Amino acid sequence: MIDYKLADVPELGYFRTDLPHPRGELLLKTESIIPGYYKRPEVTAEIFDEDGYYRTGDVMAELGPDRLVYVDRTKDTLKLSQGEFVAVSRLETVFAGSPLIRQIYVHGNSERAYLLAVVVPAPGVRADGGEGSGSLKSLLSEALQQTAREAELNSYEIPRDFLIEAEPFSPENGLLSESHKLLRPRLRERYGQALDRLYDEIAEGQVREVRELRRAAADRPVLETVTGAVQAMLGCPDTALRADAHFTDLGGDSLTALSFSLLMKEIFHIELPVGVVISPANDLARLARYMEAERESGAERPTFASVHGEHSTEVRAGDLTLDKFIGARTLAAAPALPRPAVPCKPSC
């Protein structure tokens, strides 16, 4: 590190004159900084200021000399807990294209695997049939889903739930800049606590749904239990839970597939490999049929836990004994099985 400085970010409301601490985008000079992009002077000019400082894109607060604390990003991109990056400003532009949505603020953080939002309905949108039937929330939810389908968004780019705001964002209430851009720090300040409560409510609801699944699974069809578990874990809307829907298309990834697999094992006492869950060849109906077939066969395929132990942290070759892979009855009958009638040739 050679030097650093903060630069004002007026569109987000961060200034070096902020109190109690200066805030702004962190600009750096280091001994190992890149000189720029090869034969792309216009891109190079975007990442360096006129004094040759590199723009990090990180908004920091300066608590004291050489003491900086991360605050925000200048680019409207955030990373969800499963590692997916989402450009929230682009999503806001896409969703605001719906005739039912006047404004939308998309919210998320790296501790959660899904997004939330605050939605301002378009003028005249009501739940009394003026723009369709059903509750206002269901109208707006369907508008989000429809817009996402038309824009071919990924499932993790669609807010799982949202708050409805009657008052539009504006420069007067401090939520828009004079150029009518969303002021994210102000929006987080106003809606952050309510959105955090919504995250908690969703998590508690998932716990209740999973508890009910464990209690009543034996009396339900397997497909109903599968779709219920997927909805509880991924927060899918009812309209998306078709039998031909795929786990990954509904927002699942390898981590949630592992959790889903463990839940299915707890409910049905059947091993459901993660590869089967996320395979593009398997929709929810096929997953249900897979578990039905496994349950009817009664066969138990070997797993890491059955071979090496439930909580083993070491894998030993000595654990790979025949009885871990072949049933006891088959092994007991093996010595009495007839041998080949014709001796094997040396080339065998």
Side-chain angles (χ1 to χ4, degrees):
M1 175 71 66
I2 298 172
D3 195 15
Y4 76 88
K5 64 180 179 179
L6 299 183
D8 292 343
V9 190
E11 64 272 22
L12 296 180
Y14 297 117
F15 298 93
R16 288 168 292 175
T17 55
D18 288 345
L19 296 175
H21 306 293
R23 298 186 300 176
E25 180 183 7
L26 177 64
L27 277 63
L28 300 175
K29 276 190 176 181
T30 76
E31 295 180 351
S32 57
I33 202 71
I34 64 170
Y37 287 91
Y38 181 65
K39 291 186 177 181
R40 300 188 67 186
E42 72 286 352
V43 180
T44 299
E46 292 177 2
I47 64 170
F48 291 96
D49 74 350
E50 61 277 6
D51 297 320
Y53 284 77
Y54 175 73
R55 300 182 183 276
T56 66
D58 291 325
V59 176
M60 313 291 280
E62 188 174 31
L63 306 187
D66 296 337
R67 289 193 62 210
L68 300 170
V69 176
Y70 174 83
V71 175
D72 201 353
R73 285 284 295 170
T74 59
K75 298 284 191 294
D76 299 328
T77 301
L78 57 86
K79 185 179 181 181
L80 301 178
S81 63
Q82 76 274 41
E84 299 288 356
F85 286 90
V86 291
V88 291
S89 58
R90 181 181 72 89
L91 297 180
E92 288 160 350
T93 300
V94 170
F95 290 125
S98 167
L100 302 187
I101 297 174
R102 177 172 180 173
Q103 295 168 313
I104 182 171
Y105 162 58
V106 177
H107 175 82
N109 61 59
S110 59
E111 296 179 357
R112 306 286 184 171
Y114 54 91
L115 300 168
L116 298 178
V118 178
V119 177
V120 179
V125 176
R126 304 183 304 276
D128 58 4
E131 292 285 352
S133 58
S135 69
L136 178 58
K137 186 144 192 177
S138 64
L139 283 175
L140 296 174
S141 179
E142 178 55 33
L144 291 174
Q145 294 293 329
Q146 177 64 28
T147 304
R149 287 192 293 269
E150 293 172 355
E152 298 182 346
L153 297 181
N154 296 302
S155 57
Y156 57 81
E157 295 178 301
I158 308 171
R160 183 174 294 189
D161 205 348
F162 54 90
L163 305 174
I164 299 175
E165 174 60 85
E167 179 187 0
F169 310 147
S170 67
E172 289 72 27
N173 59 25
L175 301 180
L176 288 185
S177 67
E178 292 299 329
S179 59
H180 288 268
K181 292 184 178 180
L182 295 181
L183 291 175
R184 299 192 173 279
R186 302 284 180 80
L187 287 160
R188 276 198 298 270
E189 184 178 334
R190 173 173 289 198
Y191 300 109
Q193 290 186 353
L195 290 168
D196 286 342
R197 286 195 298 271
L198 185 55
Y199 270 127
D200 292 339
E201 291 170 6
I202 292 173
E204 291 169 2
Q206 289 176 315
V207 170
R208 289 194 299 270
E209 291 174 22
V210 169
R211 187 183 300 122
E212 176 61 20
L213 282 172
R214 292 189 179 105
R215 186 190 66 80
D219 302 323
R220 293 179 174 179
V222 174
L223 179 58
E224 184 178 332
T225 299
V226 168
T227 55
V230 169
Q231 184 174 38
M233 303 192 75
L234 303 181
C236 312
D238 293 334
T239 54
L241 280 174
R242 304 185 309 274
D244 60 350
H246 292 76
F247 188 83
T248 51
D249 292 339
L250 295 171
D253 53 30
S254 57
L255 291 178
T256 50
L258 176 59
S259 299
F260 177 78
S261 175
L262 294 173
L263 178 60
M264 293 298 97
K265 180 180 180 181
E266 183 178 346
I267 292 175
F268 295 110
H269 307 290
I270 294 171
E271 291 287 344
L272 179 63
V274 169
V276 173
V277 179
I278 63 177
S279 169
N282 294 327
D283 53 22
L284 299 187
R286 285 180 178 270
L287 291 181
R289 289 198 295 270
Y290 177 93
M291 286 186 287
E292 288 171 347
E294 290 292 305
R295 186 163 63 174
E296 290 173 4
S297 70
E300 293 187 5
R301 64 181 62 198
T303 65
F304 178 91
S306 65
V307 173
H308 300 289
E310 187 73 33
H311 303 292
S312 296
T313 57
E314 294 183 358
V315 175
R316 300 180 180 278
D319 296 335
L320 304 175
T321 54
L322 283 178
D323 60 294
K324 301 291 181 61
F325 301 89
I326 302 175
R329 183 179 299 178
T330 303
L331 282 176
L337 292 176
R339 298 184 177 276
V342 179
C344 184
K345 296 179 180 181
S347 58
C348 291

